[in-house]
Amino acid sequence: MKYDFDEIIDRTCTSSLKWGKYENTDIIPMWVADMDFKAPPAILDTLQQSIEHGILGYTVIPDKLNKIVAAKLDTFHGWEIEEEWILWVPGVVCALNIACATFGDPHDKIVTTTPVYPPFLTAPANCGKLLATVPMIDINQRTTLDFDALEKEFKENTGLFMFCSPYNPCGTVFTKKELNRIVELCAAYDVVICSDEIHSDFVLDEDKHHIPTASVSQTAARQTITLMAPSKTYNIPGLGCSFAVIPDEGLRNKFKSRLHGLIPDVNLLGLFAAKAAYKECDEWLSQLITYLKKNRDIVQYRVNKMPGCKLNPIESTYLAWIDIKGTGLKDPVRFFEQAGVGLSDGSFFGQKGFIRLNFGCPRSVLEEGLKRMEMALKNHFSP
Ligand SMILES: Cc1ncc(COP(=O)(O)O)c(C=O)c1O
């Protein structure tokens, strides 16, 4: 491999959200979705050039950036878009909140599925709207949408469906059939779809592909706003650079007018990093995916051998959604912290009895984390 994903980079004392939580402890942070790999050299080079230039002024969208994004979406996902459909925003979460505030009547509710990335659960209340949640269902060890339950909700005053594809935290890569079905349902009840596709570059199975929701049909394009970013993929989440793709002019204008005066433009470093990411980092990304696949296989094998733990096959993302109900642990996060591993608590995602483990880290760190979990569970079951 040309890039060294095994390299251990000390992130203590760097004001890192992930590492700061456990500063001065022997707990390995494996929680928030932030990887422990250095960003690709092409991104670091462009950032260095901006810093050396020395003036960090107000910035417009760099020349050809939208063209580069459009080409990337076409090459990677077979999605042909127009450059003017792209709107840059400083975060997917911010765009998600803007979508909640913009679409549907004030008394309409917003629907999402659980478990889900926590900001989905708080965004509706931020703009004074009601949230309805529909649990995901497991079919043959694969977590997917419960279309009948969703239809019931859509029937009753729903303005927006917040969808996550691929799915954080369960790792599902949705099929064209599933996407068509959700689009048809939303169209039937006039529900706008906000499709958060920030994890779209992390498909880990050879036989699966990410399909943008908006790309499945003309109806889908009219009904959907898609949120994407280079942040997860190239490990630059701290740069605050994301974008929405909105083919429908009406939806796009509504969304755009909500941004004015409230949401700042994306900063210079984020925009230049995005340009380098989409133009020059394909090889880095392909090697990252190879590395993450191996990490995924290790997690899949070892977690399923841990007493009381179950893990469905992870199709995508670098996150493992582990069912720990069989352990009988009352406070699993505290239990694993005491064993030296910092994980995310399922209840924040709307599903108790689960923990989420981030395996986007050097293999030796992952193996140490898994070893600590195995030891702790062994002692728990046979003290
Ligand atoms: C599904 C999903 N959406 C959005 C985000 C965060 O996006 P941003 O940092 O652009 O707000 C995350 C981060 O973990 C995520 O998993």
Side-chain angles (χ1 to χ4, degrees):
M1 270 208 191
K2 182 166 155 194
Y3 303 101
D4 183 9
F5 298 104
D6 283 328
E7 184 186 359
I8 304 219
I9 300 162
D10 183 3
R11 296 185 68 186
T12 54
C13 305
T14 60
S15 298
S16 149
L17 172 71
K18 184 181 185 184
W19 284 79
K21 183 171 180 191
Y22 296 116
E23 203 101 3
N24 302 318
T25 69
D26 181 32
I27 298 172
I28 305 171
M30 303 182 95
W31 63 292
V32 63
D34 171 326
M35 300 188 288
D36 290 324
F37 307 124
K38 209 179 251 187
I43 293 184
L44 299 177
D45 287 348
T46 200
L47 295 176
Q48 245 136 24
Q49 278 170 30
S50 294
I51 299 295
E52 268 163 32
H53 180 256
I55 299 183
L56 305 174
Y58 293 123
T59 306
V60 295
I61 306 305
D63 198 25
K64 300 207 180 74
L65 175 55
N66 286 358
K67 200 184 181 80
I68 290 166
V69 170
K72 198 257 177 188
L73 294 180
D74 192 7
T75 316
F76 277 63
H77 308 306
W79 187 23
E80 284 179 35
I81 67 157
E82 307 283 335
E83 287 175 44
E84 66 262 23
W85 297 352
I86 303 172
L87 299 176
W88 291 89
V89 281
V92 164
V93 171
C94 139
L96 200 70
N97 277 274
I98 292 289
C100 288
T102 308
F103 301 113
D105 292 330
H107 57 273
D108 278 349
K109 65 182 179 331
I110 293 170
V111 173
T112 198
T113 45
T114 52
V116 77
Y117 176 58
F120 280 47
L121 302 174
T122 49
N126 291 342
C127 60
K129 289 188 179 167
L130 285 177
L131 169 73
T133 55
V134 173
M136 297 287 277
I137 47 171
D138 265 21
I139 300 177
N140 297 330
Q141 289 195 296
R142 179 174 174 273
T143 306
T144 190
L145 300 163
D146 182 343
F147 293 101
D148 293 338
L150 281 165
E151 182 167 16
K152 258 193 206 157
E153 285 297 345
F154 294 162
K155 270 183 187 164
E156 294 161 12
N157 301 338
T158 301
L160 183 78
F161 174 51
M162 286 188 286
F163 182 41
C164 188
S165 172
Y167 202 80
N168 175 7
C170 306
T172 313
V173 176
F174 295 96
T175 63
K176 193 158 189 183
K177 198 169 157 201
E178 288 168 321
L179 294 171
N180 269 316
R181 188 138 178 229
I182 196 67
V183 166
E184 277 163 24
L185 280 180
C186 287
Y189 298 103
D190 200 18
V191 175
V192 172
I193 305 171
C194 179
S195 189
D196 178 341
E197 302 184 13
I198 198 168
H199 292 281
S200 55
D201 292 314
F202 294 109
V203 176
L204 303 176
D205 286 342
E206 308 278 301
D207 61 338
K208 298 195 173 63
H209 302 284
H210 173 72
I211 305 169
T213 309
S215 74
V216 297
S217 62
Q218 293 286 340
T219 308
R222 276 197 302 274
Q223 204 74 19
T224 307
I225 76 161
T226 305
L227 307 179
M228 291 180 157
S231 54
K232 297 280 139 188
T233 311
Y234 304 96
N235 208 28
I236 48 171
L239 291 182
C241 177
S242 312
F243 60 94
V245 182
I246 313 181
D248 183 83
E249 197 180 354
L251 294 186
R252 189 164 67 245
N253 286 340
K254 273 190 181 171
F255 185 88
K256 209 172 169 179
S257 60
R258 275 278 169 170
L259 300 173
H260 282 312
L262 285 177
I263 306 301
D265 291 334
V266 177
N267 71 80
L268 168 149
L269 299 180
L271 288 169
F272 278 102
K275 187 170 172 182
Y278 292 134
K279 197 166 163 228
E280 298 174 67
C281 300
D282 289 358
E283 191 191 14
W284 182 91
L285 176 56
S286 137
Q287 293 195 6
L288 170 74
I289 298 299
T290 304
Y291 194 87
L292 288 176
K293 277 182 189 166
K294 181 86 201 296
N295 277 9
R296 183 270 312 263
D297 293 347
I298 293 169
V299 169
Q300 197 82 59
Y301 179 76
R302 286 177 63 171
V303 167
N304 274 317
K305 284 200 169 312
M306 291 180 194
C309 297
K310 273 196 299 197
L311 177 58
N312 283 347
I314 305 164
E315 300 175 346
S316 165
T317 76
Y318 49 85
L319 307 162
W321 186 242
I322 306 170
D323 179 343
I324 39 96
K325 290 193 289 295
T327 62
L329 292 167
K330 293 256 171 327
D331 187 347
V333 169
R334 186 154 168 69
F335 172 84
F336 287 113
E337 280 174 353
Q338 282 167 348
V341 186
L343 302 166
S344 301
D345 193 336
S347 52
F348 293 126
F349 296 72
Q351 192 175 35
K352 277 193 184 150
F354 284 76
I355 46 169
R356 196 189 70 174
L357 178 148
N358 171 349
F359 56 85
C361 60
R363 197 150 302 139
S364 58
V365 177
L366 174 64
E367 288 185 330
E368 176 61 25
L370 292 172
K371 191 172 96 190
R372 291 180 183 191
M373 290 172 73
E374 284 159 354
M375 287 288 288
L377 285 169
K378 194 165 158 240
N379 292 336
H380 172 68
F381 279 99
S382 45

